[in-house]
């Protein structure tokens, strides 16, 4: 597929209205062709109007029609997998092999959501049949299903240029819900984005859907994003990135005359608690495993385990040494963008300025935007005294927290803000500790992991990739996994409808064979 | 039960810290004993700390323990039904008989939520079992359930002093979800509120729950409400009332360092569309039924049908006349508060100033705060030209909109902001019209009613009492019905947990016998 650098608005390829940009290869510092078109509010308005026009027909698609479209997107992504991986590698400086896997995962998500659509449970269909004899007054027939919330704006992330980008889980789940999507791609990987955008655009056309079901815009600065969040026809926003970026969009959306949901997945240090028996039994193994996962993707992952906590005691030194050895041995690697590299250096300095001591460092970087690996350490008192030590440093650094005892472990656990995940390493003798720690973690995270590391992410029915603020702006939902679709649905009751006018999912005789709640009972009848 | 006028914070009865107030009987203008204690931020802080302390144990209650508590609240409410009804009648000027029914409904809601808790579906339990053989990498065991979001602040409404107040659906659903609740009662019915508060407080004590599960505060002005919304330990807010009031709380909550959900149910004119064949066949009957429902509770209901729309043609005159006759015949009745009465008069003037012509008026009021019934009329062009005509006038007034044709009916339907409900009166010959109107209504309302009126409200599994902004601040949820519990739940994934540490709902062998999603399949195994 030839990259033209255009934006994609409905079926059209759209040239620049606000200048152009080139992609950067952060490994070489070279700018890469072609020129990518930049747009602004005019392109957003055109895309939003098309999305609005597409809404009724796309929200009204039958289950099989919508599922087949999602499968076709998956096929199209599979068809360009090598090309995608190669371009993503060029635009990130990371190896192409990992992007082959990421592209396969992205296609897989579309197929999984196609299955979710086919199963129809996303409708949450409920039927309270008429009870003409009920006292003191009869009950009329009530039926409920969920429908799409409206056109959705998706802001792609920098760190996973395929699976959290144009063809990522946000786009897949919003399309599965019946929402037209407008993607504002991250400028760190404009070519990768265009390839995915053309794949989806092609699938829309070949499925005979309204062209407004998908658009893809690009812009410099904040203006285009603000135009998306402000547009009255946009009804929900997703974002993956920094707390500052996410909160800017969130606050702006809440100041609209009609506030809309913003699902921003922002920041998490994914604390890892090592309980005493596990520490004594296998501190070294845990320290090594922790450091290995911390360094994946040059530490640029939302699920990077960034804080390792244990009560000082048997196994602590072994854990510390193993983590230090792994960190020292790992060479510096190119980070995603110059800006991310600079923020990483500032963050690492901040940890030291807050009293964290250097335990280990990797070799001095050679390239300009390479991130040097780092392990720091602090004691529990200091950690509690300075909340900035619990803030994310995006990149290959981690903090070891040496605790004075089990009570301090609980106190430190309570001090964390909301997290995407938390981990407990434990043995059976640790269960009494774990039982006390568990409710503290439940209130603060969307996922609790035992004896493993949170990363990499599953995409399943029981997957939650979310959590209390500031991990996300809405702890009631997930951005990854099959229930991510729930973000884009809202319920409607149909009361006293004649059969001929009822939506398919609520029709008499349950022609789709859905699981429904009938008079409060789960049934497929 | 003797009213002391105190606030209830946990197990304590708390005297005034910021002065006292008396209740007003709006029918007589008399102030009623006792003196009611007013509090402020200090009482909020005390209640919030207790609620936070109660959280872990209450969120951790077993299904039967929590359900039994909710049943006990229902029993306590039943035990004071006559007393409640009498006091509510005194504080509103409305007949005691209707409050007997409202109290029965409130108790019924607690029993329904007890059943929801017993069924355990609110956990949304999902299990993705380990797949050690999966390629390219094994899947670890993932299990997901929903838990309580945290302490909830409930702001009671003025218009249903029992079922949307201290013991209303917001309190019942939040307690069912496992959230401690702090109610800020409406000052229009302080005695009714105290009676319900003491019933719940007693049930907490008799159930052996932490006292912080329920508190009840009262204050003058906005300060106490702002303190609740601002308090860092409060994790969600519910509100029923005006758009201005709801949006003030919403915007404030979004400006917190950690924004929290605010479920404000605010404003709706519940448009009623009469399609041509139904109009011709039974225009008179529809006009009469519309006016009858419009006048219920002196027009002070969120589901009051306030706008009646039809294309001019056969049956229109009959509909208009029947509605006018009902409105003319209904005498003026006392409104809930002097403030609501004055706002009603201003609203009715606004409709006239915007070009709506008076069609009918009831007899001149005798009491100071009685609302005079009114029917006004406007044509479709005028209605489209002035959006203020589509804004709610809380009280016994309605607007008839005479449309020029089917296209104008659709155009007018598209002009509405979000609504709690919309109604279509239709016959079989109207189905072609209805099919075009239906998607327009689906995008704008939470409930679509055919050939009936939206009011009164069911409380069922398929009930949605919600809708797009400004009907509510979050179209994805309902404030009435069994799924109201979903507002107060958030998902947590448990990955790789040993059986001994898994929550009951996710345990191996499904000891609670819940419906769960296992590997994407609905099962009770």
């Amino acid at each position: 597929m030839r990259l033209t650098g255009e934006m994609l608005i409905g079926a059209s390829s759209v040239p620049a209205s606000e200048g152009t940009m080139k992609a950067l290869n952060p490994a070489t510092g070279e700018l890469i062709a072609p020129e990518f078109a930049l747009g602004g509010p005019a392109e957003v308005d055109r895309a939003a109007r098309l999305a609005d026009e597409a809404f009724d027909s796309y929200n009204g698609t039958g289950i099989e029609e919508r599922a087949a479209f999602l499968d076709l997107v998956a096929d199209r992504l599979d068809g360009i997998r090598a090309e995608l991986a190669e371009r993503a590698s060029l635009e990130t400086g990371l190896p192409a092999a990992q992007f082959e896997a990421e592209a396969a995962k992205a296609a897989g998500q579309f197929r999984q959501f196609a299955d979710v659509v086919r199963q129809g449970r996303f409708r949450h269909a409920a039927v309270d049949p008429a009870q003409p004899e009920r006292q003191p007054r009869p009950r009329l027939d009530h039926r409920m299903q969920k429908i799409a919330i409206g056109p959705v704006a998706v802001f792609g992330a920098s760190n996973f240029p395929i699976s959290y980008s144009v063809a990522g889980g946000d786009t897949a789940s919003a399309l599965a819900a019946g929402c037209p999507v407008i993607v504002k791609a991250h400028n760190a990987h404009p070519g990768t984005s265009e390839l995915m955008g053309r794949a989806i655009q092609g699938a829309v056309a070949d499925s005979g859907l309204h062209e407004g079901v998908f658009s893809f815009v690009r812009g410099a600065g904040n203006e285009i994003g603000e135009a998306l969040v402000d547009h009255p026809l946009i009804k929900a926003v997703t974002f993956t990135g920094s707390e500052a970026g996410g909160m800017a969009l969130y606050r702006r959306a809440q100041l609209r005359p009609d506030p809309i949901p913003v699902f921003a997945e922002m920041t998490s240090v994914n604390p890892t608690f090592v309980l005493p028996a596990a520490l004594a039994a296998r501190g070294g193994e845990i320290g090594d495993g922790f450091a290995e996962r911390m360094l994946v993707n040059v530490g640029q992952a939302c699920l990077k385990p960034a804080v390792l906590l244990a009560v000082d005691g048997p196994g602590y030194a072994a854990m510390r040494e193993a983590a230090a050895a792994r960190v020292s041995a790992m060479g510096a690697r190119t980070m995603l963008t110059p800006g991310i590299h600079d923020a990483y250096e500032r963050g690492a300095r901040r940890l030291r300025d807050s009293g964290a001591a250097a335990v280990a460092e990797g070799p001095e970087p050679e390239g300009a935007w390479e991130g040097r690996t780092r392990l720091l350490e602090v004691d529990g008192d200091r950690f509690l005294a300075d909340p900035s030590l619990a803030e994310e440093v995006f990149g290959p650094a981690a903090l070891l927290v040496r605790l004075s005892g089990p009570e301090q472990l609980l106190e430190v656990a309570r001090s964390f803000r909301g997290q995407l995940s938390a981990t407990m390493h434990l043995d059976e003798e640790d269960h009494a500790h774990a039982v006390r720690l568990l409710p503290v973690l439940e209130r603060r995270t969307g996922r609790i992991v035992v004896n493993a590391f949170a990363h990499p992410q599953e995409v399943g029915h029981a997957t939650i990739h979310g959590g209390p603020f500031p991990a996300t702006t809405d702890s009631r939902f997930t951005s990854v996994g099959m229930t991510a679709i729930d973000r884009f649905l809202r319920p409607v009751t149909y009361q006293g409808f004649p059969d001929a006018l009822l939506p398919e999912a609520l029709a008499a005789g349950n022609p789709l064979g859905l699981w429904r709640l009938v008079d409060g009972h789960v049934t497929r009848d």
Side-chain angles (χ1 to χ4, degrees), chain A residues 106-415:
Chain A
Q109 281 194 94
F110 273 89
R111 289 203 182 88
Q112 286 176 289
F113 278 112
D115 285 346
V116 165
V117 169
R118 285 196 180 92
Q119 287 174 23
R121 280 182 293 94
F122 74 99
R123 291 282 181 209
H124 295 264
V127 179
D128 290 340
Q131 295 176 338
E133 312 299 331
R134 192 185 65 174
Q135 293 301 329
R137 58 185 172 82
R139 183 169 81 183
L140 301 173
D141 184 86
H142 283 63
R143 290 161 195 256
M144 188 270 277
Q145 69 165 356
K146 293 198 176 181
I147 67 168
I149 198 170
V152 173
V154 170
F155 288 76
S158 63
N159 57 343
F160 291 96
I162 301 174
S163 64
Y164 284 79
S165 178
V166 180
D170 285 340
T171 300
S173 55
L175 289 174
C179 298
V181 168
I182 304 173
V183 178
K184 190 265 171 205
H186 200 284
N187 287 346
H189 46 270
T192 314
S193 297
E194 183 183 336
L195 289 170
M196 292 182 282
R198 290 196 181 275
I200 302 176
Q201 186 191 50
V204 170
D206 286 359
S207 301
L209 297 173
H210 188 294
E211 59 169 326
V213 166
F214 177 79
S215 290
F216 157 59
V217 296
R218 200 189 288 116
N222 295 331
E223 192 192 34
I224 194 162
E226 292 171 357
L228 267 171
V229 169
D230 291 348
H231 202 291
L233 296 174
I234 295 293
K235 296 302 179 195
V237 173
T238 75
F239 168 88
T240 307
S242 69
E243 184 174 350
M247 287 311 291
L249 296 182
Y250 181 85
R251 302 233 184 253
R252 196 168 176 104
Q254 301 322 310
L255 291 173
R256 287 167 53 123
D258 58 328
I260 55 174
V262 174
F263 306 97
E265 189 248 282
M266 301 185 297
T267 184
S268 183
V269 294
N270 309 298
T272 299
F273 297 87
V274 187
L275 301 186
L279 182 67
R282 50 198 158 84
E285 187 189 320
I286 293 167
D288 182 64
F290 171 87
E292 182 191 6
R293 289 305 170 92
M294 185 276 278
L295 295 168
V296 166
N297 219 36
V298 202
Q300 300 162 115
C302 35
L303 289 171
K304 180 191 91 172
V307 183
L308 181 61
L309 309 103
V311 174
D312 203 358
Y316 186 90
M319 180 178 80
R320 183 180 189 274
E321 272 164 43
R326 171 77 71 167
V327 166
S328 309
M330 173 62 87
R333 287 166 297 161
T334 302
M335 299 191 70
L336 287 164
T337 70
I340 287 173
H341 171 267
D342 295 351
Y344 170 64
E345 287 298 327
R346 283 196 304 277
R349 250 195 320 275
R350 171 169 61 70
L351 292 180
R352 284 193 304 269
D353 293 348
S354 297
V359 173
E361 272 190 328
E364 188 87 43
E366 291 170 9
W369 302 314
E370 288 181 357
R372 187 176 197 174
T373 61
R374 293 180 174 99
L375 181 68
L376 300 100
E377 188 181 35
V378 77
D379 67 23
D381 290 340
R382 181 79 215 133
F383 188 81
L384 286 167
D386 187 345
S388 80
L389 286 164
E391 279 172 28
E392 185 177 8
V393 175
F394 195 69
L399 184 64
L400 194 49
V401 184
R402 198 177 54 248
L403 303 164
S404 61
E407 291 308 316
Q408 191 174 59
L409 185 142
L410 288 172
E411 194 186 350
V412 163
R414 283 191 204 100
S415 77

Side-chain angles (χ1 to χ4, degrees), chain A residues 450-464:
Chain A
V450 170
N451 292 340
F453 296 92
H455 183 69
Q457 177 68 283
E458 280 296 329
V459 184
H461 297 276
T463 299
I464 297 302

Side-chain angles (χ1 to χ4, degrees), chain A residues 61-128:
Chain A
T61 44
I63 272 183
E64 187 46 44
E65 183 183 8
R66 196 185 301 169
F69 162 59
L70 298 172
D71 278 338
L72 185 58
V73 172
D75 293 345
R76 294 285 188 126
L77 291 172
D78 282 342
I80 57 168
R81 191 185 299 172
E83 209 175 340
L84 258 182
E86 191 190 335
R87 180 78 198 185
S89 174
L90 264 184
E91 293 183 336
T92 59
L94 293 164
Q98 86 179 56
F99 295 117
E100 295 254 356
E102 201 182 316
K105 181 177 174 180
Q109 281 194 94
F110 273 89
R111 289 203 182 88
Q112 286 176 289
F113 278 112
D115 285 346
V116 165
V117 169
R118 285 196 180 92
Q119 287 174 23
R121 280 182 293 94
F122 74 99
R123 291 282 181 209
H124 295 264
V127 179
D128 290 340

